[in-house]
mmCIF file of all heavy atoms in Angstrom:
data_model
loop_
_atom_site.group_PDB
_atom_site.id
_atom_site.type_symbol
_atom_site.label_atom_id
_atom_site.label_comp_id
_atom_site.label_asym_id
_atom_site.label_seq_id
_atom_site.Cartn_x
_atom_site.Cartn_y
_atom_site.Cartn_z
ATOM 1 N N GLY A 125 -7.983 85.323 103.521
ATOM 2 C CA GLY A 125 -8.392 86.020 102.303
ATOM 3 C C GLY A 125 -8.210 85.171 101.063
ATOM 4 O O GLY A 125 -8.989 85.258 100.115
ATOM 5 N N TRP A 126 -7.166 84.341 101.054
ATOM 6 C CA TRP A 126 -6.939 83.465 99.904
ATOM 7 C C TRP A 126 -7.920 82.303 99.909
ATOM 8 O O TRP A 126 -8.539 81.977 98.899
ATOM 9 C CB TRP A 126 -5.504 82.928 99.871
ATOM 10 C CG TRP A 126 -5.339 81.998 98.717
ATOM 11 C CD1 TRP A 126 -5.379 80.632 98.735
ATOM 12 C CD2 TRP A 126 -5.192 82.372 97.346
ATOM 13 N NE1 TRP A 126 -5.261 80.134 97.465
ATOM 14 C CE2 TRP A 126 -5.152 81.182 96.592
ATOM 15 C CE3 TRP A 126 -5.103 83.592 96.683
ATOM 16 C CZ2 TRP A 126 -5.007 81.191 95.204
ATOM 17 C CZ3 TRP A 126 -4.962 83.591 95.311
ATOM 18 C CH2 TRP A 126 -4.917 82.403 94.589
ATOM 19 N N SER A 127 -8.051 81.648 101.064
ATOM 20 C CA SER A 127 -8.805 80.393 101.126
ATOM 21 C C SER A 127 -10.296 80.578 101.355
ATOM 22 O O SER A 127 -11.088 79.683 101.045
ATOM 23 C CB SER A 127 -8.248 79.512 102.244
ATOM 24 O OG SER A 127 -8.506 80.093 103.518
ATOM 25 N N GLY A 128 -10.687 81.710 101.946
ATOM 26 C CA GLY A 128 -12.086 81.888 102.316
ATOM 27 C C GLY A 128 -12.464 81.014 103.498
ATOM 28 O O GLY A 128 -13.637 80.724 103.715
ATOM 29 N N ARG A 129 -11.461 80.597 104.278
ATOM 30 C CA ARG A 129 -11.666 79.669 105.393
ATOM 31 C C ARG A 129 -10.934 80.168 106.639
ATOM 32 O O ARG A 129 -10.030 80.986 106.548
ATOM 33 C CB ARG A 129 -11.083 78.293 105.056
ATOM 34 C CG ARG A 129 -11.570 77.679 103.783
ATOM 35 C CD ARG A 129 -12.752 76.781 104.088
ATOM 36 N NE ARG A 129 -13.140 76.023 102.922
ATOM 37 C CZ ARG A 129 -14.188 76.304 102.172
ATOM 38 N NH1 ARG A 129 -14.922 77.336 102.428
ATOM 39 N NH2 ARG A 129 -14.503 75.544 101.147
ATOM 40 N N TYR A 130 -11.315 79.602 107.782
ATOM 41 C CA TYR A 130 -10.543 79.821 108.999
ATOM 42 C C TYR A 130 -9.231 79.076 108.820
ATOM 43 O O TYR A 130 -9.203 77.958 108.292
ATOM 44 C CB TYR A 130 -11.306 79.292 110.217
ATOM 45 C CG TYR A 130 -10.510 79.416 111.496
ATOM 46 C CD1 TYR A 130 -10.275 80.670 112.058
ATOM 47 C CD2 TYR A 130 -9.983 78.300 112.117
ATOM 48 C CE1 TYR A 130 -9.530 80.798 113.217
ATOM 49 C CE2 TYR A 130 -9.239 78.415 113.274
ATOM 50 C CZ TYR A 130 -9.017 79.668 113.820
ATOM 51 O OH TYR A 130 -8.277 79.789 114.965
ATOM 52 N N CYS A 131 -8.125 79.678 109.252
ATOM 53 C CA CYS A 131 -6.808 79.076 109.067
ATOM 54 C C CYS A 131 -6.034 79.075 110.372
ATOM 55 O O CYS A 131 -6.231 79.957 111.222
ATOM 56 C CB CYS A 131 -6.011 79.844 108.016
ATOM 57 S SG CYS A 131 -6.782 79.822 106.389
ATOM 58 N N VAL A 132 -5.157 78.094 110.506
ATOM 59 C CA VAL A 132 -4.297 77.996 111.682
ATOM 60 C C VAL A 132 -2.835 77.982 111.242
ATOM 61 O O VAL A 132 -2.508 77.568 110.129
ATOM 62 C CB VAL A 132 -4.609 76.735 112.518
ATOM 63 C CG1 VAL A 132 -6.018 76.797 113.094
ATOM 64 C CG2 VAL A 132 -4.436 75.464 111.696
ATOM 65 N N THR A 133 -1.981 78.431 112.132
ATOM 66 C CA THR A 133 -0.547 78.446 111.864
ATOM 67 C C THR A 133 0.012 77.043 112.049
ATOM 68 O O THR A 133 -0.182 76.437 113.095
ATOM 69 C CB THR A 133 0.179 79.416 112.828
ATOM 70 O OG1 THR A 133 -0.459 80.681 112.763
ATOM 71 C CG2 THR A 133 1.649 79.545 112.479
ATOM 72 N N ALA A 134 0.706 76.544 111.029
ATOM 73 C CA ALA A 134 1.337 75.229 111.111
ATOM 74 C C ALA A 134 2.851 75.344 111.279
ATOM 75 O O ALA A 134 3.484 74.455 111.842
ATOM 76 C CB ALA A 134 1.019 74.405 109.856
ATOM 77 N N TYR A 135 3.424 76.441 110.808
ATOM 78 C CA TYR A 135 4.883 76.596 110.835
ATOM 79 C C TYR A 135 5.238 78.059 110.650
ATOM 80 O O TYR A 135 4.598 78.772 109.888
ATOM 81 C CB TYR A 135 5.509 75.780 109.686
ATOM 82 C CG TYR A 135 6.996 75.945 109.539
ATOM 83 C CD1 TYR A 135 7.879 75.144 110.257
ATOM 84 C CD2 TYR A 135 7.517 76.902 108.680
ATOM 85 C CE1 TYR A 135 9.250 75.306 110.116
ATOM 86 C CE2 TYR A 135 8.890 77.061 108.538
ATOM 87 C CZ TYR A 135 9.747 76.258 109.262
ATOM 88 O OH TYR A 135 11.101 76.420 109.133
ATOM 89 N N ALA A 136 6.248 78.500 111.377
ATOM 90 C CA ALA A 136 6.832 79.824 111.154
ATOM 91 C C ALA A 136 8.337 79.618 111.173
ATOM 92 O O ALA A 136 8.868 79.015 112.105
ATOM 93 C CB ALA A 136 6.404 80.810 112.233
ATOM 94 N N GLY A 137 9.011 80.060 110.141
ATOM 95 C CA GLY A 137 10.445 79.808 110.101
ATOM 96 C C GLY A 137 11.213 80.838 109.306
ATOM 97 O O GLY A 137 10.652 81.660 108.590
ATOM 98 N N GLY A 138 12.519 80.748 109.465
ATOM 99 C CA GLY A 138 13.412 81.632 108.742
ATOM 100 C C GLY A 138 13.276 83.076 109.172
ATOM 101 O O GLY A 138 13.639 83.979 108.429
#
Side-chain angles (χ1 to χ4, degrees):
W126 178 261
S127 67
R129 306 267 188 257
Y130 176 71
C131 298
V132 296
T133 307
Y135 175 87

